[in-house]
Each structure stands twice: as C-alpha cells, then as structure tokens.
Amino acid sequence: MLISTSFLTSKNIPKDLKELNETDTDFIHVDVMDGKFTKSKSLPFKEMKHIYKYTSKRLDIHLMVEKPEKFIKNYAKLNAEYITFNMEVDCDIESNLKLIKNYGIKCGLALAPDTKVKELVPYLPLLDQVLILGVYPGYGGQEFIEQTKEKVKELKSLLKEYKSSAKISVDGGINDTTKKKVLKADILVAGNYVLSNPNYQEQINKLRK
C-alpha cells in the first residue's frame, strides 16, 4: 500500500513538510482549491511553488478548481508524480488529461462522493490514477463516507473489465480503521490522521500494516 500524506490541516506547513520528508511516505499530497469549485481556498501558487525547499518527495497534486488548464501549467513545474482534477468540473476533460501527459506527468481524475464510477469509462485509456473521495471536497478532518467502500470495489471491477492499469487512490477520512474498508485501493491519502500525532512515521506505519 502506497501512502500519500496531505498537509491540508497543517498549522505549520514548512515544519510539517520537513518532518514528513524524513518519513517513508511515498508522496506529499497537495490539495489545490480555488475558492470556486470548493468554498475553501488553498495557498496561491506563488507560495506553493516553494514546496521544494521543504521536501524532496514526489508530489501527488489534486486540483479542486473550476479551470484545471490554468493550474496544470503552473503545477507541472513542480516535482509532480500525479496531477489529478475533479471530473465534475465543466471543462474539456480529455484535453486536460492530455495536457498533463504532455508534461510527462501521470494524470488522474477524482470522483466526488455523488459521482458514479461508470462516468470514468470514456477516459480510462488515458488515466494513470483514479482518486475516490471518501468525503466531500474542500475540507480536511471529515468523517469517512461508508459508501466509499462499495465504490472502490466497483472501480476495481471496472478497471479489470477495461484492462486499465490505473491506480486507485482514496482520500478523505482515512485512518487505521477506515483503511480496512478500502483494501482494494493502491494509494491511501491521509492528512489529519498523520499530522494529529507527533510521530508521523508511526502513523504512516499503521496505515501500511
């Protein structure tokens, strides 16, 4: 199981990123919110671009924004392994996925809790990752939505049916209890669960078990 650690709930981002850099977390999960697609708004790119000063980890970037194309061009400059955006956005999904790939970065689509898995089908040939949200986008520390468990199972079957090698990632309400409900996932995104304990590595170890 791969772990992608979010700093969305961090009260001291430089400090937490430095400490996470000393752990074996596989990725740093970067939540980007424009205050339009979500009510919350994240740090502007002019500040986020300095993340390399605090961590050398590969980034798992989730764009919760209305116009992904405007953000892709900036975030592609960073040390990104994945750039994912929500498929509920009113945009040319295929063009944006291809834009990410053109930068040599793996692309993904995120599904909000009410979005059906089958809506992914037209885009499966392009996808490297599917991010299932176990909470409604925009806020850290929410409780895990139980239907996420069935959604992950359904996605696993769909990927097998279409012979897709896309990774399944789950974000939202992940802890050492809820992780057992999504064992078919490849990547777990956890923020509050990791950062709420002074020993970040210990928390990450619990998620990997």
Side-chain angles (χ1 to χ4, degrees), residues 90-105:
D90 183 16
C91 70
D92 187 332
I93 291 176
E94 185 173 337
S95 290
N96 280 304
L97 292 174
K98 288 180 177 178
L99 176 60
I100 296 168
K101 283 188 173 292
N102 285 343
Y103 285 104
I105 298 169

Side-chain angles (χ1 to χ4, degrees), residues 12-30:
N12 187 333
I13 293 174
K15 171 182 172 290
D16 285 334
L17 287 176
K18 286 177 182 177
E19 291 187 16
L20 287 170
N21 197 53
E22 299 303 313
T23 71
D24 67 4
T25 189
D26 298 282
F27 309 109
I28 296 296
H29 187 83
V30 182

Side-chain angles (χ1 to χ4, degrees), residues 168-200:
I168 299 175
S169 183
V170 183
D171 181 10
I174 294 297
N175 55 44
D176 58 345
T177 299
T178 56
K179 68 157 191 180
K180 298 171 186 174
K181 301 177 181 181
V182 291
L183 292 176
K184 293 184 180 296
D186 303 294
I187 304 170
L188 293 180
V189 180
N192 195 52
Y193 174 72
V194 175
L195 300 185
S196 62
N197 186 310
N199 191 330
Y200 297 165

Side-chain angles (χ1 to χ4, degrees), residues 98-147:
K98 288 180 177 178
L99 176 60
I100 296 168
K101 283 188 173 292
N102 285 343
Y103 285 104
I105 298 169
K106 296 172 186 174
C107 68
L109 283 174
L111 299 185
D114 298 330
T115 303
K116 304 297 183 185
V117 166
K118 64 182 180 182
E119 294 183 31
L120 287 167
V121 171
Y123 312 107
L124 287 179
L126 289 169
L127 295 178
D128 299 296
Q129 174 176 245
V130 177
L131 179 59
I132 299 289
L133 297 181
V135 298
Y136 287 95
Y139 302 95
Q142 296 181 63
E143 287 191 12
F144 181 81
I145 297 171
E146 290 298 321
Q147 71 184 42

